Amino acid sequence: MAGNTFGTLFKLSSFGESHGPALGGVIDGCPAGLKIDLDFVQSELNRRKPGQSHITTQRKEGDVVEFLSGIFEGVTTGMPIGFVIKNEDQKSKDYSHIKDSFRPSHADFTYEEKYGLRDYRGGGRSSARETACRIVAGAIAKLILKEKNITVNAFVSQVGKIKLDRSFEELDLSKTDNNVVRCPDEKVAEQMITYIEEIKKQGDTIGGVIQCVIKNTPIGLGEPVFDKLHAVLGHAMLSINAVKGFEIGSGFDSIHYKGSELNDEFTSSDKKISTKTNNSGGIQGGISNGMPIYFNVAFKPVATIMQKQNSVNKLGEEVIVEGKGRHDPCVLPRAVPIVESMAALVLVDFLLLARCSRI
Amino acid sequence: MAGNTFGTLFKLSSFGESHGPALGGVIDGCPAGLKIDLDFVQSELNRRKPGQSHITTQRKEGDVVEFLSGIFEGVTTGMPIGFVIKNEDQKSKDYSHIKDSFRPSHADFTYEEKYGLRDYRGGGRSSARETACRIVAGAIAKLILKEKNITVNAFVSQVGKIKLDRSFEELDLSKTDNNVVRCPDEKVAEQMITYIEEIKKQGDTIGGVIQCVIKNTPIGLGEPVFDKLHAVLGHAMLSINAVKGFEIGSGFDSIHYKGSELNDEFTSSDKKISTKTNNSGGIQGGISNGMPIYFNVAFKPVATIMQKQNSVNKLGEEVIVEGKGRHDPCVLPRAVPIVESMAALVLVDFLLLARCSRI
Amino acid sequence: MAGNTFGTLFKLSSFGESHGPALGGVIDGCPAGLKIDLDFVQSELNRRKPGQSHITTQRKEGDVVEFLSGIFEGVTTGMPIGFVIKNEDQKSKDYSHIKDSFRPSHADFTYEEKYGLRDYRGGGRSSARETACRIVAGAIAKLILKEKNITVNAFVSQVGKIKLDRSFEELDLSKTDNNVVRCPDEKVAEQMITYIEEIKKQGDTIGGVIQCVIKNTPIGLGEPVFDKLHAVLGHAMLSINAVKGFEIGSGFDSIHYKGSELNDEFTSSDKKISTKTNNSGGIQGGISNGMPIYFNVAFKPVATIMQKQNSVNKLGEEVIVEGKGRHDPCVLPRAVPIVESMAALVLVDFLLLARCSRI
Amino acid sequence: MAGNTFGTLFKLSSFGESHGPALGGVIDGCPAGLKIDLDFVQSELNRRKPGQSHITTQRKEGDVVEFLSGIFEGVTTGMPIGFVIKNEDQKSKDYSHIKDSFRPSHADFTYEEKYGLRDYRGGGRSSARETACRIVAGAIAKLILKEKNITVNAFVSQVGKIKLDRSFEELDLSKTDNNVVRCPDEKVAEQMITYIEEIKKQGDTIGGVIQCVIKNTPIGLGEPVFDKLHAVLGHAMLSINAVKGFEIGSGFDSIHYKGSELNDEFTSSDKKISTKTNNSGGIQGGISNGMPIYFNVAFKPVATIMQKQNSVNKLGEEVIVEGKGRHDPCVLPRAVPIVESMAALVLVDFLLLARCSRI
């Protein structure tokens, strides 16, 4: 736990700052024999890429991944997969406005205090740009899941107060990417887009909720006690920039029901055991039960706003800071593939671990 | 991540089933030179112990911890601290009602499927009885935190719809243990107790929310990217039985505010930098900023109810299951020390890791 | 790496001091469904037990293992296996002679300096008594290996200058336990025993070499680069008390041959590929190749001798120390099962890891 | 332990094949505030570089390291240090001679069997070219050690039967790099060079021994039981290509002495406690005692020889293989910085861990 590696058997060790020469990482533990669809990996990166629509940041970054090892003639060899994503949009900007000042609700102050110095250019390592590496590893993980027919689909279910009030069973999740906000309900998507446009005009930002649904999970993923499947999913999601909350299945709403109302009774059909309801969110005792896994992830509004804010500098003197450049009024559309990627990393790790549960 | 170890430098490896001879564990990485107050450790165990009040289970378990190593003349030696808690209440009960049947929303089905067999007596390893070991390690961790003047206080803030509507700043957290439900507001506590009594009469169960507040944390705890302080706290909390959700600081409520409303502006006084508001919950960029850390943990109602429920057995045949014995109508009062213990384990681990952040 | 856990998927976390109430540990990651032959586990412990013959220490320790979890109706459940071995021979001895003095070539000085204090009774955690826990976990590992038909046989191949000059292929390893020194060649064994008796009379100690041979290993155990099979075997062996050297296959003797002489040419028979010679010791590129694995482990003479030695105390003052009690003139006979146990732990861990090498 | 990461707090995760686009890695856990002397890092790489003398391989590889993150204005930030070393000498060679055949004593066969496929170009990941990444991380580690005044010096002490018969105390280790074989005794160096020239003419290869000496180590490095300092050093050394043996201090020679002859008596001078002799090799009970640490590493002759050898192909058919290209007749001169690098990685990891040994 030095902070930059995720996973036990299928592991991503990532590196890179927002404005250094490149981001990159090492994916270790990927089994040999997996065909790598490079176009798929790049298409996943494109879903996170800045500048993809008028409601995201207008920064132009190519986000092209270059694999350096571990793939031979299009197939994984079992060796570590090294990769880099070069930072293209590295203009020698003027960072004097944040070099010595601490932007509210950013990592400037805590990094400075913890390490005694920081790479202040664009937030350095604390920038969400780091998540591009998670997409690369997540895309490889998704290719493994595809072989098992497991699907991972995230979508924006709430932006500010605009909420998608239908359950995932009622939605066609293949429509998520049909609109720029990544909400599978076209009408609600339009409302969200309009709202984000307003927020953007105000130079402000807004948060929301992403729901993620995993289907066709085999029974038995997750480990008892400390590494319950939803505990590790929670860890994964809470590690994403701007995330403030996580809930599995009935989540916080479980509070409002009695055990007799919330328990998922078992039933069987054709010798296959399932539950009548799914308040458990596909996980019981920390282990997947074969029902769809679903969870919600709460994102706060991005800290960088195009308005003046009071703050202090290193000397503790009062200063005014104001966002510059091109930032997202709402990160949720671009965070959808990040949520999916982290979920995929968790699932693949547990799939491998599950190979060792019986003699 | 084989599931039974928690922590990187300060680690708990636990073992034990509900109805085996004993629970226990190994606490590794505890620095040498810590005075162990055995009475304090036992008093923490007593806070979790069954039978402590009329609104908890009436099972009688002594829960006496016995230390076997790592402590010499009352002081830790840097060696692993082994301990056991014997299971006293091991009557040779009749478990035929659950041996082959799957209790709704329990781990019976998933354990059976994952491992091919299970210790069905009282839920075996999936029983919340396992958390007694977390209390022991958490108590040791709290002794370390005490030396740094760091306090960890959890309390019940909601039971069903009965909610404590004051922020922790307005509460006297030293009053938490003054009542059996562990809510520091005496009036709300009474309402909660009355409500739990009703639920108990119905043979039903109810969930709620525990809030945890950590004060005097040094700046700099937490690691960038994957092991953000709140991500590991979330992992820790979600690993507790019956937990369905976790939120840090403004949490899910962050959705309802704009960046300009939610950002925590910095201010300084006597050269000490702090934030005017604390929606960040004491953590920015995954690293503690010196402000109070607070988070909420959502518990579902306990799955075991004293009512008949439909289910199936191993063969997929329909059966009726009904809770027997003495169970908690609401686990929250007994979960308060568990939440504190897991938080303490996380904090101590990061305190040790933080010793290595600078050259 | 806090020092008291060994393994990645199949893990032993051990605890316990020489003269505390008990030793013990947690074996985590043992797959479910393994039948545990308790008599076999105890028989392995008996092979390490003090007092087993006139050439080992005459201390009487029962070394009875008590399992506390993870085994249900004689079969492993996939849950952690907790166990304790009570220390019976805990007379309240007089330790004043070592309390403040540092015994030559013992851990007294380094523990005191590292931790600021130490449990000086019988060496505390640094005592080889700790290895009893390795035997318990190793015995469980051997039961897994048995199911795969893999055998692990160590034996004493050298004591002082008395050396067994035949290769393991020429020996009947089933005879190892036929004599008290655990050398499968009866004649050499007699010489060794006579020599150890002489050394014992002198109040002195002597070291030697244990060779370990592993047969029927599947091809593919070991991981590239840092966790080569022989690197982890070396780590395991060098962690045993009094071990000073490790060599795999042709080992240090490789120096005396040219590549053209030492290389193992491949051959095939009935489509099965093997090597004509086995200087590689069954491992190529860090991965098992199906040939017998063999390695040597060098043990120094035990540091505790029944003679007066010069030393210093905590204050740096000159003192005379002299061994008291009942100690081994030569640890090798009792170390044979320890070597086998550590090898078994390594093999099982890699067997589990190897389940994840291909998609 | 997926094989491509080394270390607990100071960690190297490496990637890259011999003939892929690049090697590289992530160094995580490097404390913030360390000045990086890029020239020093490159000079270390140059010590391992092919083509550096007439007794090493004549391949020309630039081995230029490019840092991508974690260093800001010449100083480490505490963030992961990503780096790449591009493979320049990647002519599209003809590999048909090894594509389907297994070179004796190489990893071809075991990789093919373990993974079902392999990157056969130049040995792929199993090539010693991978060690360039260890040099980069080792150079950073050495910069940390320099701040503590700790020195790590390896040298060639034996090539075939030509042996340096003086102890390291009698040698001037600053002279090691004065000759191409890296032996600090000029006369013995000349003999070694002449011998390697002969071996080269024969198209053969030869092994030897590297000794490594670490001075000014603080007391207290190493962890009890499984992660003794010499056990982890052994692990590190045995992970280097072609290494067959490791011994600490008096090593295998300990066999020839009695306890009374080998024990290191303590003495003190000016309140500083040390030992009169140093058979312990600077480590007692697995923990450094402040005396010089020294150990030997045995290397077998390189498996690639310029002679015809019998082998088989994938189908088990007999084939003749013969080394092509430019290979080392003796790897020891180039392995000296690799041994030092791995030792430095181990030491820095334990230095950081030691910060947590006391409260």
Side-chain angles (χ1 to χ4, degrees):
Chain A
M1 194 168 67
N4 298 289
T5 296
F6 190 82
T8 296
L9 289 177
F10 188 89
K11 292 194 292 189
L12 167 65
S13 296
S14 84
F15 67 83
E17 281 83 43
S18 174
H19 286 67
L23 306 164
V26 184
I27 302 161
D28 201 7
C30 184
L34 178 73
K35 278 194 193 166
I36 297 298
D37 179 343
L38 293 174
D39 292 340
F40 172 73
V41 178
Q42 189 58 51
S43 71
E44 285 288 287
L45 270 171
N46 294 347
R47 295 175 76 206
R48 195 212 72 96
K49 197 168 68 168
Q52 62 184 267
S53 83
H54 71 287
I55 60 165
T56 64
T57 169
Q58 296 304 298
R59 283 195 308 276
K60 295 289 179 210
E61 285 160 2
D63 281 2
V64 177
V65 64
E66 190 184 349
F67 287 105
L68 301 176
S69 67
I71 303 170
F72 183 58
E73 298 177 344
V75 177
T76 59
T77 59
M79 301 298 111
I81 300 169
F83 67 91
V84 291
I85 301 167
K86 287 187 183 126
N87 284 326
E88 299 176 349
D89 194 22
Q90 280 178 271
K91 323 177 193 167
S92 52
K93 287 181 194 166
D94 179 12
Y95 288 101
S96 55
H97 64 300
I98 55 167
K99 182 178 173 182
D100 297 316
S101 297
F102 301 131
R103 293 168 298 163
S105 291
H106 269 280
D108 302 341
F109 172 66
T110 50
Y111 271 53
E112 186 82 28
E113 289 284 320
K114 183 178 179 74
Y115 299 107
L117 80 167
R118 72 182 207 276
D119 178 350
Y120 47 76
R121 300 166 304 167
R125 181 86 179 134
S126 73
S127 163
R129 177 144 182 70
E130 158 270 320
T131 57
C133 296
R134 309 188 187 204
I135 300 280
V136 174
I140 305 280
K142 277 186 177 180
L143 290 172
I144 296 174
L145 298 180
K146 269 186 191 175
E147 300 221 340
K148 315 285 177 192
N149 203 28
I150 301 169
T151 61
V152 180
N153 287 101
F155 57 89
V156 176
S157 65
Q158 186 165 2
V159 171
K161 281 169 195 174
I162 300 165
K163 190 171 174 180
L164 176 57
D165 265 327
R166 291 195 287 158
S167 86
F168 70 86
E169 288 95 341
E170 303 167 271
L171 298 166
D172 178 354
L173 299 184
S174 73
K175 292 187 175 168
T176 297
D177 275 30
N178 287 2
N179 57 66
V180 294
V181 80
R182 292 205 168 89
C183 172
D185 180 310
E186 203 53 45
K187 283 201 177 159
V188 179
E190 278 173 34
Q191 294 174 304
M192 289 173 172
I193 293 167
T194 305
Y195 183 53
I196 294 172
E197 288 166 347
E198 277 171 36
I199 290 287
K200 188 182 173 183
K201 273 182 209 149
Q202 297 166 18
D204 218 327
T205 56
I206 193 74
V209 175
I210 288 178
Q211 182 161 96
C212 185
V213 180
I214 303 162
K215 289 183 181 165
N216 301 326
T217 310
I219 305 171
L221 303 194
E223 298 292 325
V225 182
F226 297 118
D227 294 319
K228 294 182 166 85
L229 179 48
H230 55 282
V232 180
L233 283 169
H235 186 151
M237 297 306 142
L238 288 156
S239 79
I240 300 172
N241 306 48
V243 170
K244 302 290 282 184
F246 171 86
E247 57 180 5
I248 180 76
S250 50
F252 276 88
D253 199 37
S254 311
I255 303 164
H256 303 114
Y257 298 91
K258 301 177 192 172
S260 60
E261 295 165 331
L262 204 75
N263 280 353
D264 295 318
E265 294 191 342
F266 286 103
T267 182
S268 80
S269 163
D270 292 336
K271 305 228 162 179
K272 200 178 159 295
I273 294 170
S274 60
T275 59
K276 292 178 192 167
T277 49
N278 186 17
N279 294 312
S280 300
I283 300 174
Q284 289 175 326
I287 294 168
S288 63
N289 67 0
M291 300 291 287
I293 294 168
Y294 63 97
F295 56 83
N296 290 325
V297 187
F299 287 77
K300 69 170 185 174
V302 180
T304 302
I305 60 176
M306 298 297 113
Q307 299 180 6
K308 287 182 182 168
Q309 296 179 91
N310 297 307
S311 191
V312 300
N313 63 18
K314 285 189 197 182
L315 304 172
E317 298 162 343
E318 295 191 358
V319 295
I320 302 287
V321 297
E322 186 174 2
K324 289 190 179 176
R326 299 148 297 174
H327 292 276
D328 289 278
C330 176
V331 289
L332 281 89
R334 291 176 58 209
V336 163
I338 305 170
V339 165
E340 289 177 1
S341 290
M342 291 308 294
L345 290 178
V346 171
L347 288 171
V348 167
D349 210 18
F350 279 120
L351 272 172
L352 293 176
L353 281 165
R355 293 186 184 182
C356 301
S357 57
R358 297 198 195 185
I359 200 74
Chain B
M1 193 169 67
N4 299 290
T5 297
F6 190 82
T8 296
L9 289 177
F10 188 89
K11 291 193 294 189
L12 168 63
S13 296
S14 83
F15 67 82
E17 281 83 43
S18 174
H19 286 68
L23 306 165
V26 184
I27 302 161
D28 201 7
C30 183
L34 178 73
K35 278 194 194 166
I36 297 299
D37 178 343
L38 293 175
D39 292 340
F40 173 73
V41 178
Q42 190 58 51
S43 71
E44 285 289 285
L45 269 172
N46 294 346
R47 293 175 76 207
R48 195 212 71 95
K49 198 168 69 169
Q52 62 184 267
S53 81
H54 72 287
I55 61 166
T56 64
T57 170
Q58 296 303 300
R59 281 195 309 277
K60 295 287 179 211
E61 284 159 3
D63 281 2
V64 178
V65 64
E66 189 184 350
F67 287 106
L68 301 176
S69 67
I71 302 169
F72 184 57
E73 299 177 345
V75 177
T76 59
T77 58
M79 301 299 110
I81 300 169
F83 66 90
V84 290
I85 300 167
K86 288 188 184 125
N87 284 326
E88 299 175 350
D89 195 21
Q90 277 178 270
K91 325 179 191 165
S92 51
K93 287 181 194 168
D94 178 13
Y95 289 103
S96 55
H97 64 302
I98 55 168
K99 181 178 175 184
D100 297 316
S101 297
F102 301 130
R103 291 168 298 163
S105 291
H106 269 280
D108 302 340
F109 172 66
T110 51
Y111 272 53
E112 184 84 28
E113 289 285 319
K114 183 179 179 74
Y115 299 106
L117 79 166
R118 72 183 207 277
D119 178 349
Y120 47 75
R121 300 167 304 167
R125 181 84 179 137
S126 73
S127 162
R129 176 142 183 72
E130 158 270 318
T131 56
C133 297
R134 309 187 187 207
I135 299 281
V136 174
I140 305 280
K142 277 186 176 181
L143 290 172
I144 297 175
L145 298 179
K146 268 186 190 174
E147 300 222 340
K148 315 286 177 190
N149 203 26
I150 301 169
T151 60
V152 180
N153 287 101
F155 55 90
V156 176
S157 65
Q158 186 166 2
V159 171
K161 279 167 197 177
I162 301 165
K163 192 174 174 177
L164 176 57
D165 264 327
R166 293 194 285 160
S167 86
F168 70 85
E169 289 96 341
E170 304 167 89
L171 297 167
D172 178 355
L173 300 185
S174 72
K175 292 188 175 167
T176 297
D177 275 30
N178 287 1
N179 56 66
V180 294
V181 80
R182 292 204 167 90
C183 172
D185 179 310
E186 203 54 43
K187 282 200 177 161
V188 180
E190 279 173 33
Q191 293 174 304
M192 288 174 173
I193 293 168
T194 305
Y195 183 52
I196 295 172
E197 289 166 348
E198 277 171 36
I199 290 288
K200 187 181 171 184
K201 273 182 209 149
Q202 297 166 18
D204 218 328
T205 56
I206 194 73
V209 175
I210 288 177
Q211 181 161 98
C212 184
V213 180
I214 304 162
K215 289 183 181 165
N216 302 325
T217 310
I219 305 172
L221 302 194
E223 297 293 323
V225 183
F226 297 119
D227 294 319
K228 294 182 165 85
L229 179 47
H230 55 282
V232 181
L233 283 170
H235 186 150
M237 297 307 142
L238 288 155
S239 78
I240 300 172
N241 306 45
V243 171
K244 301 291 282 184
F246 171 86
E247 56 180 4
I248 180 77
S250 50
F252 275 87
D253 199 38
S254 311
I255 303 164
H256 304 113
Y257 298 91
K258 300 178 192 173
S260 60
E261 296 165 331
L262 203 74
N263 281 352
D264 294 319
E265 295 191 340
F266 286 103
T267 183
S268 80
S269 164
D270 292 336
K271 306 227 163 178
K272 198 177 161 296
I273 294 172
S274 60
T275 59
K276 292 178 195 169
T277 50
N278 186 18
N279 294 312
S280 301
I283 301 174
Q284 289 175 325
I287 295 168
S288 63
N289 68 359
M291 299 291 289
I293 294 169
Y294 63 97
F295 55 83
N296 291 324
V297 187
F299 287 76
K300 67 169 187 176
V302 181
T304 301
I305 59 176
M306 299 297 113
Q307 299 180 7
K308 287 182 183 168
Q309 294 179 93
N310 296 307
S311 191
V312 299
N313 63 18
K314 285 189 196 181
L315 304 172
E317 298 162 342
E318 296 190 357
V319 295
I320 302 288
V321 296
E322 186 174 2
K324 289 191 180 176
R326 296 147 298 174
H327 292 277
D328 288 278
C330 177
V331 288
L332 281 89
R334 291 175 58 208
V336 163
I338 305 171
V339 165
E340 290 178 1
S341 289
M342 291 308 295
L345 290 178
V346 171
L347 288 171
V348 167
D349 210 17
F350 279 120
L351 271 171
L352 293 176
L353 281 165
R355 294 187 183 181
C356 300
S357 57
R358 297 197 194 186
I359 200 75
Chain C
M1 192 170 66
N4 298 290
T5 296
F6 189 83
T8 296
L9 290 177
F10 188 89
K11 292 194 292 190
L12 168 64
S13 297
S14 83
F15 67 82
E17 281 84 41
S18 173
H19 286 67
L23 306 164
V26 184
I27 302 161
D28 200 8
C30 183
L34 178 73
K35 277 193 194 166
I36 296 299
D37 177 343
L38 293 175
D39 291 340
F40 173 72
V41 178
Q42 189 59 51
S43 70
E44 286 289 285
L45 270 171
N46 293 347
R47 294 175 76 206
R48 196 211 71 95
K49 198 167 69 168
Q52 61 184 268
S53 82
H54 73 286
I55 61 165
T56 64
T57 169
Q58 296 303 303
R59 282 196 308 276
K60 296 287 178 207
E61 282 159 3
D63 281 3
V64 177
V65 64
E66 189 184 351
F67 287 105
L68 301 176
S69 67
I71 302 170
F72 184 58
E73 298 176 345
V75 177
T76 59
T77 60
M79 300 299 110
I81 300 168
F83 66 91
V84 290
I85 300 167
K86 286 183 186 132
N87 284 327
E88 299 176 351
D89 194 21
Q90 279 177 269
K91 326 180 190 161
S92 51
K93 288 182 195 165
D94 179 12
Y95 288 102
S96 55
H97 64 301
I98 54 168
K99 182 176 174 184
D100 297 315
S101 298
F102 301 131
R103 291 168 299 164
S105 290
H106 268 280
D108 302 340
F109 172 66
T110 51
Y111 272 54
E112 185 83 28
E113 289 286 319
K114 184 178 178 75
Y115 299 107
L117 79 166
R118 73 182 205 277
D119 178 350
Y120 47 78
R121 300 167 304 168
R125 181 81 178 140
S126 73
S127 162
R129 176 143 182 73
E130 158 270 318
T131 57
C133 297
R134 309 188 187 204
I135 299 280
V136 174
I140 305 280
K142 277 187 176 181
L143 290 172
I144 297 175
L145 297 179
K146 269 186 191 174
E147 300 222 339
K148 315 286 176 191
N149 203 28
I150 302 169
T151 60
V152 180
N153 287 102
F155 55 90
V156 176
S157 66
Q158 186 166 2
V159 171
K161 278 167 198 176
I162 301 165
K163 191 173 173 179
L164 175 57
D165 264 326
R166 291 194 286 159
S167 86
F168 69 85
E169 288 96 341
E170 302 166 271
L171 298 167
D172 178 355
L173 300 184
S174 73
K175 292 188 175 167
T176 298
D177 275 29
N178 287 2
N179 55 67
V180 293
V181 79
R182 292 205 168 89
C183 171
D185 180 310
E186 202 54 42
K187 283 199 178 160
V188 179
E190 278 173 34
Q191 293 175 302
M192 289 174 172
I193 292 167
T194 305
Y195 184 53
I196 295 171
E197 288 165 348
E198 278 169 38
I199 290 288
K200 188 181 171 185
K201 274 181 208 151
Q202 297 167 18
D204 218 328
T205 56
I206 193 75
V209 174
I210 288 177
Q211 182 162 96
C212 185
V213 180
I214 303 163
K215 289 183 180 164
N216 303 324
T217 310
I219 305 172
L221 303 194
E223 299 292 323
V225 182
F226 298 118
D227 294 318
K228 294 182 166 85
L229 178 47
H230 55 283
V232 180
L233 283 170
H235 186 150
M237 297 307 141
L238 289 155
S239 78
I240 299 172
N241 305 47
V243 171
K244 301 291 282 184
F246 172 86
E247 57 180 3
I248 180 77
S250 50
F252 275 88
D253 198 38
S254 311
I255 303 164
H256 304 113
Y257 298 92
K258 300 178 192 171
S260 60
E261 296 165 331
L262 203 74
N263 281 352
D264 295 317
E265 295 192 339
F266 286 104
T267 184
S268 80
S269 164
D270 291 335
K271 305 225 164 181
K272 197 175 162 298
I273 295 171
S274 60
T275 59
K276 291 178 195 167
T277 49
N278 186 18
N279 294 312
S280 300
I283 300 174
Q284 290 175 326
I287 295 168
S288 63
N289 67 0
M291 298 292 288
I293 294 168
Y294 64 98
F295 55 84
N296 291 325
V297 186
F299 288 77
K300 68 169 186 176
V302 181
T304 302
I305 59 175
M306 299 298 113
Q307 299 180 7
K308 287 183 182 170
Q309 294 179 92
N310 297 306
S311 191
V312 299
N313 64 17
K314 285 189 196 180
L315 304 172
E317 298 162 342
E318 295 190 359
V319 295
I320 302 288
V321 296
E322 185 175 2
K324 289 189 180 178
R326 298 149 295 173
H327 293 277
D328 288 278
C330 176
V331 289
L332 279 91
R334 291 176 57 209
V336 163
I338 305 171
V339 165
E340 288 178 0
S341 290
M342 291 307 295
L345 290 178
V346 171
L347 287 171
V348 167
D349 210 18
F350 279 120
L351 271 172
L352 294 176
L353 281 164
R355 293 186 184 182
C356 300
S357 57
R358 297 197 193 185
I359 200 75
Chain D
M1 196 169 66
N4 299 288
T5 296
F6 190 82
T8 296
L9 289 177
F10 188 88
K11 292 194 294 189
L12 167 64
S13 297
S14 84
F15 67 83
E17 280 83 42
S18 173
H19 286 67
L23 306 163
V26 184
I27 302 161
D28 201 7
C30 184
L34 178 74
K35 277 195 194 164
I36 297 298
D37 178 342
L38 293 174
D39 292 340
F40 172 73
V41 178
Q42 190 59 51
S43 72
E44 285 289 288
L45 269 171
N46 293 348
R47 294 175 76 207
R48 195 213 71 97
K49 197 167 71 168
Q52 62 185 268
S53 83
H54 72 285
I55 59 164
T56 64
T57 170
Q58 295 304 299
R59 283 195 308 276
K60 295 288 179 207
E61 284 159 3
D63 281 2
V64 177
V65 64
E66 191 184 348
F67 287 106
L68 301 176
S69 67
I71 303 169
F72 184 58
E73 298 176 344
V75 177
T76 59
T77 59
M79 300 298 111
I81 300 169
F83 66 90
V84 290
I85 301 167
K86 285 183 185 132
N87 285 326
E88 299 176 348
D89 193 22
Q90 280 178 270
K91 323 177 193 166
S92 51
K93 287 183 194 165
D94 180 11
Y95 289 102
S96 55
H97 64 300
I98 54 166
K99 182 176 174 184
D100 297 316
S101 297
F102 302 130
R103 292 168 298 163
S105 291
H106 269 281
D108 302 341
F109 172 66
T110 51
Y111 272 54
E112 185 83 29
E113 290 284 320
K114 183 178 178 76
Y115 299 107
L117 79 166
R118 73 182 207 275
D119 178 350
Y120 47 76
R121 301 166 305 167
R125 180 85 180 137
S126 72
S127 163
R129 179 146 180 70
E130 158 270 319
T131 57
C133 297
R134 309 188 187 204
I135 299 280
V136 174
I140 306 280
K142 277 186 176 180
L143 290 171
I144 296 174
L145 297 179
K146 269 185 191 176
E147 300 221 339
K148 314 285 177 193
N149 202 28
I150 302 169
T151 61
V152 180
N153 287 101
F155 55 90
V156 175
S157 64
Q158 185 166 3
V159 171
K161 280 168 197 176
I162 301 165
K163 190 172 175 180
L164 175 56
D165 265 325
R166 292 195 285 159
S167 86
F168 70 87
E169 288 97 341
E170 303 167 272
L171 298 166
D172 178 356
L173 300 185
S174 73
K175 292 187 174 167
T176 297
D177 275 30
N178 287 3
N179 56 67
V180 294
V181 80
R182 292 204 168 90
C183 171
D185 179 310
E186 202 56 40
K187 282 200 178 158
V188 179
E190 277 173 35
Q191 294 174 301
M192 289 173 172
I193 293 167
T194 305
Y195 183 54
I196 295 172
E197 288 166 348
E198 276 170 37
I199 290 288
K200 188 182 172 183
K201 272 181 210 149
Q202 298 167 15
D204 218 326
T205 56
I206 193 73
V209 174
I210 289 177
Q211 182 161 96
C212 185
V213 181
I214 304 162
K215 289 183 182 166
N216 302 325
T217 309
I219 305 172
L221 303 194
E223 298 292 324
V225 181
F226 297 118
D227 294 318
K228 295 183 164 83
L229 178 46
H230 56 282
V232 181
L233 284 170
H235 186 151
M237 297 307 142
L238 289 157
S239 79
I240 300 172
N241 306 48
V243 171
K244 303 289 283 184
F246 172 86
E247 56 180 4
I248 180 76
S250 50
F252 274 88
D253 199 36
S254 311
I255 302 164
H256 303 114
Y257 299 91
K258 300 179 193 172
S260 60
E261 296 164 331
L262 204 76
N263 280 352
D264 294 318
E265 294 192 341
F266 286 103
T267 182
S268 81
S269 164
D270 292 336
K271 304 227 165 180
K272 199 177 160 298
I273 294 171
S274 60
T275 59
K276 291 177 194 169
T277 49
N278 185 17
N279 294 312
S280 300
I283 300 174
Q284 290 174 325
I287 295 169
S288 63
N289 68 359
M291 298 292 288
I293 294 168
Y294 63 97
F295 55 84
N296 290 325
V297 187
F299 287 77
K300 69 169 186 175
V302 181
T304 302
I305 59 177
M306 298 298 111
Q307 299 179 6
K308 287 182 182 168
Q309 295 180 92
N310 298 306
S311 191
V312 300
N313 63 18
K314 285 190 197 180
L315 304 172
E317 298 161 342
E318 295 189 359
V319 294
I320 302 288
V321 297
E322 185 174 4
K324 288 188 180 179
R326 298 148 297 174
H327 293 277
D328 288 278
C330 178
V331 289
L332 280 90
R334 292 175 58 209
V336 163
I338 305 170
V339 165
E340 289 177 2
S341 290
M342 292 307 296
L345 290 177
V346 171
L347 288 171
V348 167
D349 210 18
F350 278 120
L351 271 171
L352 294 176
L353 281 164
R355 293 187 183 181
C356 301
S357 56
R358 296 199 196 182
I359 200 76

